[in-house]
Amino acid sequence: MRNFKYLSLALAALALGACTSDDVVDNGSDGGNMFNSDGTGYINLSINLPAQSGNTGTRANDVTDDGAANEYEVKDATLILFSGENESTATFAAAYDMDLSMNTDADGDQITSQATKVQKINSISGNGKVYALVVLNKNNVLSFEGTGLKINNQSFTGTLKDFTENTVSSENSFTQNGFFMTNAVITDKPGSAAISGQTTTILTEVTDKIHKSEEDARKDPGAEIFVERAVAKVELTEDPGLSSDKISVKTNGTASESEVGYEISGWTLANKNNSSFLVRNWNQSVSGDITPSGDAWYALKSTGDGLSSPAALTSNPYRFAGYEEIKEDVNNPSVNRYRTYFGIDPNYDVDDPNFSDAPAAGTGMTFDKAVKYCLENTFDIEHQNVRNTTCAIVKAKIDLPEEWGSTNFYVINGDKSTIYNLENAKKAILTLVNEEYPESDGYSATDVTYTVNSETKNFQFTEVKYTKDSEDPKTMSAENLQKLQAAMTVTEYTNAESYYTVLIKHFGDDLTPWNEANKTDNPYPDNDSSADNNWLGRYGVLRNNWYEIEVTGIKGIGSATVPDVNDDPTPDDNVEKYISVKINMLSWAKRKQSVTLE
């Protein structure tokens, strides 16, 4: 087993609480042999938590990493059984609260937790196969009524699709008492070659793992269930050499450039999704049936977009499935299983997504290098724009020259290549006034008063005063004051703080390269339906993926205010490029993104 390791909860001969005798399953020819005459049996499950190896993978999708110990804690476990002819049509049968006793043994780079539990399982009514879904750390999302199940305090009956499409409205619902985890989406074909005839599953069939005796259940290898966390993880780091980095700017209208230092002083997430399915939804349509096989995503691969193809595309072009086995049997490749790397959320193709607002005025933005968690957020090509994309807002503090004697600086008419102190910003305003709005009889503009708009940080001019020797001063007419306001924008950078937006990439430049050189008005031209092939999933955040954004440098002054990303329809890859981003991928799955801020 390569590049993936597990916290293994070996639930040997797991048996489940009391039920009524009419809950009997007849699963075909072997069904009558699964349970005792009193309707009891034993089941053996092995639950594999998403611990990951180091970033040794050669493909972005399968670069993985361990996380923090608390991300592996199992505070409680729930087994949910479905019964039916296949995964798509199987309906809820029973739910059991599994009282697990965890033994933790951390040996170097591996964290292993094991839980062994032997209890009786009661038979399930109806014909067909039996499937298992495991939920770890149910938080307050799930609760029980005997073997009945409640989701968000509502009784549940129905299919896996019905279960999946229940939603939560905050990442706190998935993290407040351990990380909410459910079955991962697993496939039996790798993404390293053209995929056809693949089978992708969420539920794990356990029909043949039910035995009459505890002893027989212990002898039978457990039915393996792979789980994943229901949230994405984002971390911001900085290049070790960033402390000596400088920004070249002109100061106070001088012709020559000088260098000013800076430091990353805060960051936060914006455009966070406020809605998430309980289980990752792998189907292309929220309203469609869950289809365990044949999904069209498998056929998509980038053409390289006119660039020399990255190694990831050359050797492993089908990005929606991994190529490193999470379960491997060299003698029986048919049992090999691989991770999948996409899904849809409740806002997948919505014009007005249910997202959190950007933080006001940088409130609460600190830089402690701590990670942040969020609900997954994916979207189709049509909605691949700023307002639909989860992003990091980064705050940097500019080191001003000591002689300025101020913590603020100013930018005029959006020209961020030159910064001013207040005295010289006023001089620039008065120079313009005397050139464009002069008074007669030798009067000259000598003072300007203003207020600063709290939202835009722009000057609102209230008065311009003209003076002449000992003559009475004059003030600018209301008409000219209005013209001045239209002609000159002066922006205040309070506390010398500058803000930058980093759109978070999922598949990114390795697996979905984007070439500015061959774009005109449309950044994602749909030539013979190639847009999905080339760029679907380029941006976004997916559950159980770890996005590490490394700031490697800042090229220029950013925004004076927290950018309004909620209402920005600009495509994620703007033909008019303002910020350059490079994303590499690691997984919990972990995805590393190096960024130079502009």
Side-chain angles (χ1 to χ4, degrees), residues 208-427:
D208 295 335
K209 298 296 180 180
I210 302 173
H211 299 274
K212 290 183 176 181
S213 72
E214 178 181 334
E215 181 180 2
D216 287 343
R218 287 187 182 277
K219 292 178 181 177
D220 188 2
E224 290 193 279
I225 299 177
F226 301 92
V227 299
E228 62 186 3
R229 302 169 191 84
V231 293
K233 173 180 177 178
V234 184
E235 180 180 15
L236 188 83
T237 64
E238 58 182 352
D239 185 280
L242 199 66
S243 59
S244 60
D245 201 19
K246 305 289 184 182
I247 301 174
S248 295
V249 291
K250 299 173 184 177
T251 58
N252 294 321
T254 59
S256 60
E257 290 187 342
S258 57
E259 293 187 331
V260 296
Y262 61 87
E263 64 175 351
I264 305 300
S265 56
W267 76 287
T268 192
L269 292 175
N271 277 358
K272 293 198 300 180
N273 205 340
N274 285 329
S275 183
S276 181
F277 296 128
L278 299 190
V279 178
R280 179 154 56 103
N281 195 326
W282 175 250
N283 192 48
Q284 290 196 38
S285 171
V286 176
S287 60
D289 292 333
I290 289 177
T291 304
S293 63
D295 199 294
W297 286 340
Y298 281 115
L300 302 182
K301 64 174 183 177
S302 173
T303 62
D305 201 22
L307 300 167
S308 56
S309 295
L313 289 181
T314 303
S315 58
N316 308 288
Y318 295 91
R319 61 187 180 272
F320 293 90
Y323 75 101
E324 296 284 358
E325 299 90 346
I326 61 173
K327 177 184 178 183
E328 180 183 24
D329 186 339
V330 294
N331 298 317
N332 185 15
S334 65
V335 304
N336 291 353
R337 295 293 182 268
Y338 306 85
R339 300 181 67 155
T340 58
Y341 290 101
F342 203 57
I344 56 178
D345 68 56
N347 296 302
Y348 182 76
D349 55 0
V350 174
D351 292 330
D352 187 19
N354 178 24
F355 287 168
S356 63
D357 292 332
T363 303
M365 291 178 62
T366 60
F367 185 50
D368 51 11
K369 301 184 182 178
V371 300
K372 302 181 189 299
Y373 301 97
C374 60
L375 300 179
E376 65 186 347
N377 173 27
T378 61
F379 33 82
D380 58 16
I381 290 292
E382 182 181 349
H383 295 87
Q384 190 160 282
N385 50 46
V386 174
R387 67 174 305 188
N388 284 279
T389 304
T390 300
C391 53
I393 305 296
V394 182
K395 179 170 65 174
K397 186 174 179 63
I398 309 301
D399 296 331
L400 298 177
E402 290 184 7
E403 61 268 20
W404 280 30
S406 172
T407 59
N408 300 338
F409 68 86
Y410 302 84
V411 165
I412 295 177
N413 287 339
D415 180 8
K416 297 176 183 178
S417 65
T418 301
I419 63 175
Y420 298 82
N421 61 13
L422 182 57
E423 178 184 358
N424 284 284
K426 284 186 174 182
K427 285 181 180 179

Side-chain angles (χ1 to χ4, degrees), residues 124 447 557 572 596:
I124 303 167
D447 191 26
I557 305 300
D572 284 345
T596 299

